[in-house]
Amino acid sequence: MKDAQPKAIYLKDYEAPKFTVLHTALTFLIEEEATEVHSLLSIQGEAAGELKLNGQALELVSVELDGGALSEGSDFSVDDDFLVIHQIPAHCKVAIKTRIKPQENTALEGLYKSAGMYCTQCEAEGFRRITYFLDRPDVMSIYDVTIIADKSKYPVLLSNGNLVESKELEGGKHLAHWHDPHKKPCYLFALVAGDLRHIEDRFTTMSGTDVTLRIYVEPQNIDKCDFAMDALKRSMKWDEERYGREYDLDIFNIVAVDDFNMGAMENKSLNIFNSSCVLANSATATDNAYSRIEAIVAHEYFHNWSGNRVTCRDWFQLSLKEGFTVFRDSQFSSDMSSPVVKRIDDVNLLRTAQFAEDAGPMAHPIRPASFIEISNFYTLTIYEKGAEVVRMIHNLLGEDKFREGSDLYFQRHDGQAVTTEEFVKAMEDASGIDLTQFRNWYHQAGTPELSVTDQFDETTGDYKLFIKQTCRPTPESDKKEPFHIPMALGLLDEEGNDAQITLKSDGKFNQKTQVLSITEPEQEFIFSGFSAKPTPSLLRDFSAPVKLHYPYTREQLLFLLAHDSDGFNRWDAGQTLATDIVLELSEQVQAGEPLEVDDRLIETFEKLLKEDSSDKAMLCKMLSLPSLAFLIEQSVPANVHAIYTARTFVRQTLANQLHEAFLSCYQQNHDDEPYNYSAEGTGKRSLKSLCLHYLLESDQGDYSQLAISQYQNSDNLTDQHAALSALANSRFQVQAKACLDEFYEKWQHEPLVVNLWLSMLAGSDRIDGVEGVEELIAHPAFDIKNPNKVRSVIGVFAGQNLRHFHTQTGAGYEWLADKIILLDRLNPQIAARLVGPLTKWQRIVGEGGQKMRNTLARIESTENLSKDVYEVVSKSLV
Ligand code: ARG
Ligand code: ZN
């Protein structure tokens, strides 16, 4: 991007629209060579004036105002981004005809073709690639949509709302007319035309309305819809019970498509899903896929209220709907399985990836103040940190007041497009709790850090905590106002029991877990009534998205791991201990010293393995070492190879010293019961697979046969995948290759299984570096136009296979840059996401980091970069 550099837009420049669209009538004439879109807009404004409509990559056919044709130049002008009608009356009808070519649309925004079917993705700004429109969420309209297409090729024609007419036309065509009674912003518009099959079910809402539920898929996938349907019904019920939210139409449709940039989309009554987030049966989906499907089905359904009925005023408010909805889906998932395990998974993602984003060049507040390309802001910060912020409000208010706040928010703002301020205000008004300082979470980026020290006075029995909060500078601001941080605290006595917590100044607390409000840069709390120094259990259940520093000794961590009544902190004590051990070893790797693993870690693992734990999923978490990505984040600037070597050494030591215990744990959790997706089954399988991975790393025996037989004899993909990936990462490469080849042979016609196969190979520790991953790109199973395949190969290699991506020659970086440049021509959103791994250059020590930076500079100097890639690259180079 040398000349005209894309410009940022700012929240402070927001202006209410001068015109709105009361009614939108769209007709789609779908033909193989092009699709014509006729749009009739009923426009209303306060006064006559200029009408400026967004439009991109459109061929304009004609424009009419109140039935009279307009001429280019005298009446309107058109360029790459806008159609401007110079003067329209306050009330009028504008008719516009455009022509588009969905079959050539590789960006997958607007109307495009995926595997023979037409589908749409309009959030955030895809509608402007369909027709000229006021493409902004605060313009809400009632839609009538007519679709005309060949009946044999596209027997199913869908849009939002209710089907009001359908008929046959001459020439083998047919027509469907859909009417959506709810006004909505255009980003929630959807259309589907294809040769699809569906399954159908019903749901009766709490007030007795009968809703028809359908899931539409390509014919070969009709046997993979039942789980999503069940998840949908459970979501509908849960939202009624937990939030009092009822569905508001007679029909709810889900459509699965193979080519999709993200996970799924909450279009009103016509959710469109990436097929990976909806299709499942035991042979083609792993336990992970099942839980992801359940969460995403729920997420999109919950958007019907948090997103659709109450929507965003502008895209700076994205977290209004996404943060709240992720919070809602995490509550749902937690109710469906194990709350502690769900919390661990969420926090792992947050601390590994969101904290990195918040510490990097693209850091932004959950309500950003500016952006160049909004697609780049569908981030972990907006989604996951946004959900953590809502979670803190939930914990500050308590369940009942939070529910009152949520009810008030929906009641006040139903049918409106609002800002995060309205959400906070409703919570405040319903609870009477002052959230003034809490609002800093919305406009300040960066992860706050809490440094905690303590002191015990034997003579008085007083225990003091000193808490200091800081936050590093981020691009939007160097100076941070203190955050309001709820810190849940437990104090363990010498036996490991929770002591009653009594604040010296305020005797009434007397709790086992006390939430302290941290609001000052420095604060001191005094607790009374101790006969010996207690062990603090800080930030229980991860009560705030912050980094915590307390000088725990390894003995204290072991004590917490054994005794803390808070499940999350028990796990976290183990993670902190393991992190400390691995990072110390990585120093020794760099110093060329001999390595030895602290016996206490090995003893802890042994004890855990021998414990007859009923919570297998939790045990699996306890026995999992922190990931390489997490460890890199804890050690900035990081030496990837030293950390990798240290972590591998710890794994191998555990595997060698405890192989018998791993084997017996494996055997106890391995049975021949038929597969069934359940919390219990998932827990058992995850523990068993962890044991298998350790066993294959042990050089105290050859356990390859165990993996091969699990692969051959199991009736489900979860176990097969676990066995294959253990083999793929092991020294048994001959056996691994035989099994992986056979697996591909068998499943080559199932795209989702092929993607899993690709990701196992791209993520393997044993891959032949850049040459190895390039072989995958050349494989017939790969398709650069399909985002799922790009994520499975390029995304996994650069984002997860850190040892090989960070190969010292810098070949991994150059390879990634080539792929980004190639992809930017086809699909800018996906290309921009792949820049992510390179933006972390400041966190990688020495020459490696410098090489990453040089690679970014090479991308930046490429001609005609998209806005998407330009924004990420240029901000990362500052
Ligand atoms: N609103 C969708 C969801 O989170 C995300 C869709 C965004 N799509 C995009 N191409 N930016 O449920
Ligand atoms: Zn969402």
Side-chain angles (χ1 to χ4, degrees), residues 121 123 262 264-266 299-300 303 321-322 378 383 829:
Q121 171 56 38
E123 186 179 3
M262 307 259 294
M265 180 62 212
E266 69 266 22
H299 178 96
E300 306 309 331
H303 267 316
K321 73 179 178 80
E322 296 305 346
Y378 286 74
Y383 279 70
Q829 279 187 20

Side-chain angles (χ1 to χ4, degrees), residues 121-413:
Q121 171 56 38
C122 293
E123 186 179 3
E125 297 179 334
F127 194 76
R128 62 186 64 182
R129 292 165 179 268
I130 294 174
T131 181
Y132 290 98
F133 201 75
L134 290 166
D135 188 357
R136 43 187 293 167
D138 56 355
V139 169
M140 298 168 82
S141 187
I142 299 286
Y143 284 72
D144 273 270
V145 177
T146 303
I147 311 165
I148 297 171
D150 184 271
K151 185 166 182 184
S152 60
K153 280 203 181 109
Y154 312 105
V156 173
L157 305 175
L158 306 172
S159 190
N160 317 87
N162 301 313
L163 182 65
V164 289
E165 188 192 5
S166 97
K167 65 180 179 195
E168 310 244 331
L169 302 174
E170 54 192 45
K173 294 194 171 138
H174 67 148
L175 167 157
H177 171 188
W178 292 82
H179 170 76
D180 182 355
H182 296 277
K183 65 179 178 136
K184 65 171 176 287
C186 65
Y187 82 86
L188 291 173
F189 163 82
L191 174 153
V192 168
D195 182 8
L196 304 171
R197 304 288 178 276
H198 71 267
I199 65 160
E200 183 170 314
D201 208 326
R202 319 196 71 74
F203 180 82
T204 306
T205 69
M206 58 188 182
S207 68
T209 307
D210 202 28
V211 184
T212 301
L213 312 174
R214 287 182 175 169
I215 299 181
Y216 286 89
V217 294
E218 290 176 70
Q220 71 275 17
N221 291 325
I222 196 72
D223 61 339
K224 305 188 192 86
C225 302
D226 296 343
F227 179 72
M229 181 63 89
D230 186 57
L232 174 61
K233 289 191 288 179
R234 281 184 280 127
S235 308
M236 295 177 85
K237 184 124 186 58
W238 186 92
D239 211 18
E240 292 185 344
E241 289 170 354
R242 192 68 177 265
Y243 281 87
R245 299 294 115 201
E246 192 177 7
Y247 188 60
D248 53 9
L249 279 162
D250 302 330
I251 182 163
F252 186 89
N253 290 323
I254 287 177
V255 180
V257 304
D258 282 338
D259 302 283
F260 203 75
N261 283 347
M262 307 259 294
M265 180 62 212
E266 69 266 22
N267 317 298
K268 187 78 186 187
S269 76
L270 180 52
N271 284 190
I272 297 182
F273 273 61
N274 185 322
S275 49
S276 72
C277 301
V278 64
L279 303 178
N281 65 34
S282 60
T284 62
T286 61
D287 288 336
N288 268 338
Y290 274 92
S291 81
R292 187 149 177 261
I293 289 167
E294 178 176 82
I296 296 180
V297 167
H299 178 96
E300 306 309 331
Y301 174 73
F302 296 157
H303 267 316
N304 190 54
W305 276 94
S306 48
N308 302 1
R309 291 289 289 251
V310 181
T311 193
C312 301
R313 188 192 73 173
D314 53 72
W315 292 119
F316 299 103
Q317 319 299 329
L318 182 57
S319 199
L320 173 73
K321 73 179 178 80
E322 296 305 346
F324 188 23
T325 305
V326 172
F327 174 68
R328 277 150 54 66
D329 83 55
S330 76
Q331 289 181 301
F332 170 77
S333 293
S334 169
D335 284 357
M336 296 297 131
S337 61
S338 151
V340 179
V341 171
K342 170 67 179 156
R343 189 72 191 131
I344 289 172
D345 286 341
D346 287 352
V347 173
N348 249 335
L349 176 65
L350 192 84
R351 287 204 298 214
T352 306
Q354 195 281 324
F355 281 14
E357 185 170 279
D358 233 346
M362 284 291 287
H364 52 279
I366 63 168
R367 198 214 56 209
S370 77
F371 57 73
I372 292 177
E373 169 55 59
I374 184 56
S375 297
N376 287 329
F377 286 76
Y378 286 74
T379 58
L380 291 158
T381 299
I382 300 292
Y383 279 70
E384 315 303 326
K385 186 177 180 181
E388 291 295 321
V389 170
V390 175
R391 192 171 194 277
M392 286 189 284
I393 297 180
H394 175 271
N395 292 350
L396 287 169
L397 269 59
E399 171 65 18
D400 293 349
K401 290 288 176 203
F402 183 83
R403 169 64 194 274
E404 284 172 38
S406 157
D407 287 352
L408 181 62
Y409 167 72
F410 288 125
Q411 178 214 322
R412 264 188 196 167
H413 302 295

Side-chain angles (χ1 to χ4, degrees), residues 417-615:
V418 302
T419 69
T420 57
E421 175 54 26
E422 274 78 45
F423 180 80
V424 178
K425 191 79 174 68
M427 290 293 164
E428 218 167 29
D429 289 351
S431 66
I433 291 175
D434 182 356
L435 297 172
T436 309
Q437 187 183 358
F438 188 84
R439 284 171 172 78
N440 290 342
W441 285 103
Y442 282 88
H443 59 84
Q444 296 191 137
T447 306
E449 305 198 25
L450 291 182
S451 301
V452 183
T453 52
D454 58 357
Q455 208 177 68
F456 178 62
D457 184 335
E458 274 174 36
T459 53
T460 58
D462 286 354
Y463 175 68
K464 284 189 198 169
L465 276 183
F466 306 97
I467 303 180
K468 215 168 132 175
Q469 70 157 299
T470 53
C471 183
R472 285 177 214 279
T474 50
E476 96 294 349
S477 169
D478 287 353
K479 207 187 148 305
K480 307 284 179 180
E481 294 302 319
F483 292 85
H484 178 180
I485 300 169
M487 213 232 352
L489 166 79
L491 295 174
L492 275 64
D493 67 19
E494 282 160 302
E495 271 78 61
N497 297 315
D498 279 319
Q500 297 288 332
I501 298 180
T502 307
L503 257 185
K504 190 161 189 177
S505 56
D506 180 357
K508 75 178 183 254
F509 278 169
N510 252 346
Q511 314 257 17
K512 295 199 164 169
T513 296
Q514 176 59 46
V515 179
L516 306 177
S517 271
I518 314 295
T519 53
E520 307 289 325
E522 288 185 28
Q523 245 166 303
E524 181 183 298
F525 296 88
I526 308 176
F527 307 94
S528 54
F530 288 94
S531 54
K533 185 175 180 180
T535 305
S537 167
L538 301 162
L539 208 67
R540 281 185 160 175
D541 207 33
F542 205 64
S543 60
V546 301
K547 286 186 192 156
L548 180 74
H549 310 284
Y550 174 84
Y552 282 118
T553 63
R554 288 186 184 175
E555 286 307 322
Q556 282 178 308
L557 292 170
L558 289 164
F559 184 74
L560 288 171
L561 186 145
H563 300 291
D564 201 327
S565 65
D566 185 73
F568 177 85
N569 268 7
R570 241 189 3 260
W571 167 79
D572 203 29
Q575 295 291 296
T576 307
L577 176 69
T579 301
D580 194 42
I581 289 172
V582 176
L583 293 184
E584 185 184 63
L585 286 167
S586 92
E587 298 290 322
Q588 291 161 357
V589 169
Q590 292 175 69
E593 291 165 13
L595 307 182
E596 199 183 328
V597 178
D598 189 331
D599 279 339
R600 290 171 292 189
L601 185 73
I602 301 168
E603 283 156 22
T604 304
F605 268 54
E606 186 168 23
K607 223 189 283 159
L608 286 167
L609 277 166
K610 290 186 174 155
E611 237 172 49
D612 194 15
S613 164
S614 57
D615 191 344

